[in-house]
């Protein structure tokens, strides 16, 4: 008797195929770097690539205050950690650097290691959280303006996107957000907010958590939390609440080009992200992140340095009668220019100062990242010259299309 065989996948194979299908459907991950690059359309001087620089790189000497990066870069301890583990880079994680990082962070914050998932930055877990908890029947609720990456992920999951304007003092209007859709899947709170740099109180976040629609989660993006004295929400994770907290080492720790971040949540919530997959963490990123966490003075020192520069710049803007939006507390702020923001962006770029983009709800406002004191001095001179000139017509249609690429989110 001939034994019949079946082409049906085995249980293990079915799980693998389901995971592969999820990964294939996840779509491209939108990042701050990609958004900033989308606003840069003018080609650099010809021949740049022949001298060891990419043709897409900004011209030498350009002030880059457009992507909320930290010009201080990684700490000395982080650089030393990278040098220490780099010779081991032929192995995926010989010394268990990523596990050590997760355990260090958990111990420092009263969490279990099972609450911490390590990623190469916070863009992946932001994207995967939206995919996991939204759908054509479960919406994505966000402030407007706020960081756009979650909306892009929601388009991938075919979820309805519900935008709720900020309050008069530029905080998240949590009561309006909670009431916006009874079928919400994710309520996204970027705190402090990007692009405004403003804070939403922990009291408001707790209220949203206690009053959100059943089945929804709060996705609390704390990329900029270390730049403020505000309370974080990690204790809510430790208490087992329905939220995922995102952290990144790209901002105060100066590791935007090295990549490391966390999703912090109950294990069952983190398990919803796992099917979308992730690459192995680079051991350099894990080692540098752990060294940064163990540097007890790093956050306070950098918070003061960046804060002093921000306060000086904002004081200058206000003294010259320029309108700063809200009360920014991080490494970015917005200016209402009173004219086409894209035109201001273009005029500043022509003066070798690259500032941030605009948001559709506030077309006259531009976002500015905080650079070094020397960079902000150049910003002041360029901005004063631009604002003293007649408003320019925004006639470069190709550039307009590029800057508007994400405006439909």
């Amino acid at each position: 008797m001939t034994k019949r065989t079946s082409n049906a996948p085995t249980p293990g194979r079915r799980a693998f195929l389901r995971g592969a299908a999820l990964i294939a459907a996840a779509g491209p991950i939108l990042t701050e770097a990609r958004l900033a690059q989308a606003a840069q359309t003018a080609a650099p001087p010809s021949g740049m690539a022949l001298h060891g620089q990419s043709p897409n790189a900004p011209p030498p000497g350009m002030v880059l205050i457009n992507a909320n990066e930290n010009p201080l870069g990684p700490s000395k301890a982080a650089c030393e950690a990278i040098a220490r583990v780099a010779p081991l880079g032929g192995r995926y994680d010989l010394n268990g650097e990523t596990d050590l990082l997760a355990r260090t962070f958990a111990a420092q914050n009263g969490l279990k290691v099972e609450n911490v998932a390590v990623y190469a930055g916070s863009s992946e877990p932001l994207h995967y959280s939206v995919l996991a908890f939204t759908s054509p029947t479960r919406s994505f609720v966000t402030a407007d303006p706020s960081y756009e990456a979650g909306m892009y992920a929601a388009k991938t999951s075919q979820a309805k996107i519900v935008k709720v304007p900020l309050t008069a003092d530029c905080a998240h209007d949590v009561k309006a957000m909670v009431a916006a859709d009874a079928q919400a899947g994710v309520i996204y709170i970027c705190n402090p907010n990007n692009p405004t740099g403003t804070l939403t109180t922990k009291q408001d976040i707790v209220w949203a958590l206690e009053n959100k629609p059943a089945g929804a989660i709060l996705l609390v993006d704390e990329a900029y939390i270390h730049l403020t004295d505000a309370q974080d929400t990690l204790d809510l994770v430790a208490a087992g609440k329905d939220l995922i907290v995102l952290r990144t080492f790209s901002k105060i720790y100066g590791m935007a080009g090295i990549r490391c971040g966390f999703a912090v949540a109950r294990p069952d919530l983190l398990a919803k992200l796992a099917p979308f997959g992730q690459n192995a963490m680079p051991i350099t990123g894990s080692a540098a992140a752990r060294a940064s966490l163990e540097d007890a003075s790093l956050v306070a020192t950098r918070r003061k340095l960046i804060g002093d520069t921000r306060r000086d710049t904002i004081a200058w803007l206000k003294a010259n009668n320029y309108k700063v939006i809200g009360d920014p507390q991080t490494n970015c702020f917005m200016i209402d220019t009173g004219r086409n923001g894209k035109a201001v962006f273009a005029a500043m770029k022509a003066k070798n100062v690259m500032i941030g983009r605009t948001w559709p709800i506030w077309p006259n406002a531009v976002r500015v990242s905080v650079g070094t004191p020397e960079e902000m001095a150049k910003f002041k001179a360029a901005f004063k010259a631009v604002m003293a000139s007649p408003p320019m017509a925004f006639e470069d249609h190709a550039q307009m299309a590029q800057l508007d690429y994400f405006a439909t989110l």
Side-chain angles (χ1 to χ4, degrees):
M1 181 176 178
T2 303
K3 184 178 180 180
R4 295 186 64 187
T5 60
S6 171
N7 291 324
T10 64
R13 185 180 172 209
R14 283 197 296 269
F16 172 80
L17 292 173
R18 280 197 302 270
L22 282 171
I23 294 168
I29 297 173
L30 190 62
T31 65
E32 179 62 48
R34 186 178 171 195
L35 286 161
Q37 289 163 2
Q40 302 176 38
T41 57
S46 60
M48 186 175 291
L50 300 178
H51 294 86
Q53 189 167 2
S54 165
N56 295 318
M62 176 166 275
V63 174
L64 299 175
I65 49 174
N66 62 317
N68 290 357
E69 297 158 323
N70 187 340
L72 301 174
S75 69
K76 182 174 182 291
C79 290
E80 290 172 349
I82 291 170
R84 171 179 59 82
V85 302
L88 305 176
R91 306 288 183 182
Y92 288 114
D93 195 351
L94 188 66
N95 291 350
E97 292 291 342
T98 302
D99 181 63
L100 287 170
L101 169 62
R103 292 180 183 279
T104 299
F105 181 79
Q108 289 181 345
N109 292 281
L111 299 164
K112 297 177 181 178
V113 70
E114 293 80 12
N115 294 128
V116 184
V118 184
Y119 290 85
S122 60
S123 296
E124 283 182 72
L126 192 165
H127 191 85
Y128 297 159
S129 296
V130 176
L131 295 185
F133 293 96
T134 68
S135 69
T137 60
R138 302 290 287 185
S139 68
F140 177 79
V141 180
T142 184
D144 192 19
S146 192
Y147 184 45
E148 309 99 316
M151 291 188 285
Y152 193 80
K155 288 173 74 74
T156 299
S157 67
Q158 300 179 40
K160 180 172 69 172
I161 297 168
V162 182
K163 299 181 185 181
V164 178
L166 296 171
T167 64
D169 58 356
C170 295
H172 287 69
D173 189 340
V174 296
K175 292 186 177 179
M177 293 176 76
V178 164
D181 187 0
Q183 297 302 312
V186 170
I187 298 174
Y188 175 66
I189 297 178
C190 184
N191 191 46
N193 191 36
N194 174 16
T196 56
T198 50
L199 284 168
T200 298
T201 67
K202 185 172 181 179
Q203 180 181 358
D204 277 352
I205 294 173
V206 170
W207 187 94
L209 193 59
E210 293 175 345
N211 293 276
K212 65 177 179 57
I217 66 158
L218 258 59
L219 182 58
V220 183
D221 189 341
E222 294 186 342
Y224 303 90
I225 195 72
H226 295 104
L227 291 153
T228 77
D229 294 319
Q231 291 180 291
D232 64 36
T233 56
L234 295 180
D235 62 315
L236 301 175
V237 172
K241 302 297 185 180
D242 293 331
L243 80 163
I244 297 175
V245 179
L246 303 176
R247 289 290 182 90
T248 182
F249 286 81
S250 295
K251 307 307 175 184
I252 205 163
Y253 294 113
M255 289 174 45
I258 298 173
R259 311 307 299 148
C260 190
F262 301 130
V264 189
R266 290 198 320 259
D268 63 298
L269 297 181
L270 294 179
K272 299 284 189 181
L273 280 57
F276 296 100
Q278 67 181 104
N279 288 321
M281 273 294 297
I283 60 171
T284 47
S286 293
R290 182 162 64 93
S292 298
L293 290 178
E294 292 174 342
D295 186 341
S297 64
L298 181 62
V299 168
T301 299
R302 290 190 164 191
R303 180 190 298 144
K304 184 178 187 310
L305 286 170
I306 294 168
D308 286 347
T309 306
R310 179 191 70 245
R311 285 184 285 270
D312 172 81
T313 305
I314 290 176
W316 178 86
L317 287 164
K318 291 181 177 179
N320 284 273
N321 297 316
Y322 302 123
K323 184 179 178 181
V324 177
I325 295 175
D327 183 19
Q329 300 293 311
T330 67
N331 64 337
C332 68
F333 53 87
M334 295 197 85
I335 308 169
D336 183 350
T337 67
R339 59 179 72 178
N340 187 305
K342 297 186 181 75
V344 174
F345 172 94
M348 290 291 288
K349 185 176 180 181
K351 292 187 178 295
N352 224 28
V353 177
M354 186 74 74
I355 61 172
R357 57 193 181 275
T358 65
W359 269 251
I361 193 172
W362 293 342
N364 291 345
V366 294
R367 190 192 68 189
V368 179
S369 302
V370 177
T372 64
E374 295 75 19
E375 288 171 333
M376 301 316 289
K378 293 178 181 179
F379 158 77
K380 292 173 186 175
F383 190 74
K384 190 168 188 177
V386 167
M387 295 305 291
S389 302
M392 59 179 283
F394 203 86
E395 296 174 348
D396 186 338
H397 298 294
Q399 188 174 10
M400 174 70 88
Q402 183 79 355
L403 289 171
D404 282 346
Y405 181 75
F406 299 105
T408 57
L409 293 174

